[in-house]
């Protein structure tokens, strides 16, 4: 079976075809060393073994292994995250061949050539077998690698009837990296690529974690990310912030981190102000939309946040490869 997999540093996004329809699923990367007790609680336990080392899926542990760095792409946790996403997708365990993604700054060398070394490193990493304790797992038989960001807009450019001389900036803001590229026309040419692995939603996550710690609520990045998404949901806020007197502090920390993130993205992309269109993808798209609209105010009607921005890349790759 062929499965398309945007294996980001914080979330793995899968897409595949079921009776001709595209289907997607999303899985969070939150693992820690060691195994969990099996058979207690209503959730299935996922205990993994990779090259003799034991890992377990743990959404709430404050010892969750950090994944928001570029080396993640070639790490143990990356392999586990992909296997975990496959197991959670509802697809029965079997042999699969995958199309995965690498940040644009890894996929291409600084002079715009394919970085074959990095691509092979990623393939070798994912081909390592993973054993799932007491359950049947997936076997990865082949891996193909695509760059992040650009492929997300393949069909949108056609739909928008982009002219041959128009330049479109694609901004993919994920947990760890900012990946951008400039496309000429409807993919007639790629005129620039740029990646910054120091700008990502994790800047907001880290700020939220620090504020939560001050509110006596040490937790995982997963919980902090949920809080960022649901920062207007009072009931949820009370569930995760123990010291209620610190709720305003937690919220204002999150909001100013979001503003700072937007400002950094816009600053970092100052060299791309002359494009004709902007497309936003990745989990961070909605967080930076206001800042991007302000910075490119002359073309604000041509700034497009893709539908389900977090899944846009994997869906687009699936459609493109299936044709
Ligand atoms: N609606 C939303 N509002 C705010 N943040 C969101 C939303 N949806 C997703 N996120 C956050 O976006 C981040 C994940 O985005 P995405 O899946 O694009 O990253 P990734 O692909 O794992 O990272 P990278 O591409 O940098 O390796 C997470 O921190 C997640 O909490
Ligand atoms: Mg990503």
């Amino acid at each position: 079976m062929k499965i398309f997999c945007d294996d980001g540093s914080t979330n793995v996004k899968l897409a595949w075809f079921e009776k001709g329809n595209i289907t997607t699923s999303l899985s969070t990367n939150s693992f820690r060393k060691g195994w969990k007790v099996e058979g207690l609680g209503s959730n299935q336990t996922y205990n993994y073994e990779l090259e003799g080392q034991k890992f377990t899926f743990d959404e709430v542990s404050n010892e969750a292994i950090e994944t928001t760095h570029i080396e993640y792409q070639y790490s143990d946790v990356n392999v586990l995250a992909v296997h975990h996403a496959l197991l959670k997708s509802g697809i029965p365990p079997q042999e699969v061949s995958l199309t995965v993604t690498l940040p644009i700054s890894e996929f291409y060398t600084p002079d715009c050539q394919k970085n074959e070394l990095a691509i092979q490193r990623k393939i070798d990493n994912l081909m390592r077998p993973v054993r799932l304790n007491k359950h049947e797992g997936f076997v990865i038989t082949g891996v193909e690698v695509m760059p992040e960001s650009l492929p997300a807009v393949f069909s949108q450019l056609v739909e928008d009837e982009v002219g041959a001389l128009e330049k479109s900036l694609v901004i993919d803001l994920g947990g760890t990296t900012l990946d951008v590229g400039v496309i000429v026309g409807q993919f007639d040419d790629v005129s620039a690529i740029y990646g910054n692995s120091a700008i990502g939603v994790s800047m907001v996550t880290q700020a939220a974690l620090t504020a939560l710690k001050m509110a006596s609520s040490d937790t995982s990045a997963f919980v902090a990310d949920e809080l960022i998404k649901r920062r207007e949901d009072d009931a949820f806020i009370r569930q995760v912030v123990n010291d209620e007197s610190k709720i305003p502090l937690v919220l204002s920390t999150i909001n100013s981190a979001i503003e700072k993130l937007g400002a950094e993205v816009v600053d970092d992309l100052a060299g791309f102000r002359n494009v004709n269109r902007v497309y936003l993808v990745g989990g961070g798209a909605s967080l930076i939309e206001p800042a991007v609209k302000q910075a490119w105010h002359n073309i604000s009607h041509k700034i497009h946040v893709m539908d389900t921005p977090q899944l846009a890349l994997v869906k687009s790759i699936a459609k493109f490869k299936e044709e």
Side-chain angles (χ1 to χ4, degrees):
M1 182 172 179
K2 265 202 88 54
I3 298 179
F4 305 92
C5 173
D6 175 10
D7 56 330
S9 57
T10 58
N11 291 277
V12 177
K13 285 76 65 179
L14 296 182
W16 66 98
F17 286 90
E18 244 168 52
K19 299 191 188 93
N21 295 321
I22 192 161
T23 315
T24 57
S25 87
L26 180 78
S27 146
T28 305
N29 304 345
S30 197
F31 299 89
R32 64 166 170 81
K33 289 245 162 109
W35 276 2
K36 266 190 193 168
V37 185
E38 189 116 19
L40 283 176
S42 54
N43 288 343
Q44 197 198 316
T45 313
Y46 293 91
N47 287 329
Y48 296 99
E49 195 175 316
L50 172 66
E51 290 177 350
Q53 289 203 72
K54 292 187 164 111
F55 299 91
T56 194
F57 179 74
D58 193 330
E59 270 175 335
V60 294
S61 173
N62 56 353
E63 284 167 24
I65 300 169
E66 216 187 293
T67 58
T68 46
H69 47 81
I70 208 79
E71 275 300 302
Y72 164 78
Q73 294 295 334
Y74 318 101
S75 68
D76 291 347
V77 183
N78 175 242
V79 194
L80 297 176
V82 169
H83 279 267
H84 189 71
L86 289 167
L87 289 160
K88 292 284 273 186
S89 68
I91 301 168
Q94 56 187 283
E95 290 194 343
V96 291
S97 110
L98 298 179
T99 301
V100 300
T101 59
L102 261 183
I104 217 161
S105 49
E106 294 289 298
F107 191 90
Y108 293 108
T109 59
D111 48 0
C112 290
Q113 303 303 301
K114 261 193 181 184
N115 187 343
E116 300 292 351
L117 270 172
I119 292 170
Q120 193 57 44
R121 193 171 164 215
K122 173 98 185 181
I123 295 172
D124 294 343
N125 188 50
L126 283 170
M127 296 290 285
R128 294 185 293 159
V130 169
R131 204 173 67 79
L132 176 65
N133 191 37
K134 294 190 186 154
H135 298 276
E136 197 193 337
F138 282 82
V139 177
I140 298 173
T141 55
V143 178
E144 197 185 338
V145 185
M146 295 274 286
E148 286 178 24
S149 87
L150 297 180
V153 298
F154 277 152
S155 51
Q156 190 65 40
L157 296 176
V158 180
E159 202 170 299
D160 289 351
E161 300 177 345
V162 174
L165 296 177
E166 278 187 80
K167 285 185 288 183
S168 304
L169 175 68
V170 184
I171 305 178
D172 177 350
L173 183 66
T176 309
T177 53
L178 172 67
D179 275 296
V180 306
V182 177
I183 298 171
V184 182
Q186 297 180 5
F187 245 103
D188 303 320
D189 215 348
V190 174
S191 76
I193 51 170
Y194 170 73
N196 186 333
S197 47
I199 299 183
V201 179
S202 70
M203 289 161 55
V204 183
T205 315
Q206 287 310 323
L209 277 172
T210 309
L212 280 167
K213 212 174 209 172
M214 286 193 262
S216 319
S217 317
D218 222 353
T219 185
S220 68
F222 173 76
V223 174
D225 277 339
E226 261 328 281
L227 180 61
I228 294 164
K229 281 183 240 172
R230 297 165 73 176
R231 61 190 181 278
E232 271 150 32
D233 176 347
D234 281 335
F236 182 75
I237 297 169
R238 280 206 199 92
Q239 283 170 17
V240 295
V241 183
N242 291 330
D243 181 350
E244 292 202 4
S245 73
K246 297 271 167 59
I247 288 179
L249 166 84
V250 172
L251 292 181
S252 71
T253 306
I254 291 176
N255 285 324
S256 50
I258 291 172
E259 267 176 39
K260 187 158 169 269
L261 175 68
E264 286 204 17
V265 169
V266 161
D267 238 30
D268 202 45
L269 302 181
F272 298 96
R273 287 290 188 276
N274 297 322
V275 295
N276 308 106
R277 291 168 185 270
V278 179
Y279 292 92
L280 288 171
V281 300
S286 65
L287 297 179
I288 58 165
E289 184 186 357
V292 169
K293 283 216 157 121
Q294 206 174 12
W296 278 268
H297 56 88
N298 292 326
I299 51 162
S300 59
H301 57 293
K302 288 187 191 160
I303 294 175
H304 187 123
V305 180
M306 300 289 286
D307 291 340
T308 56
Q310 204 174 5
L311 293 165
L313 176 64
V314 77
K315 277 162 78 176
S316 184
I317 290 178
K319 283 184 193 149
F320 170 73
K321 287 273 173 188
E322 205 64 13
E323 271 165 14

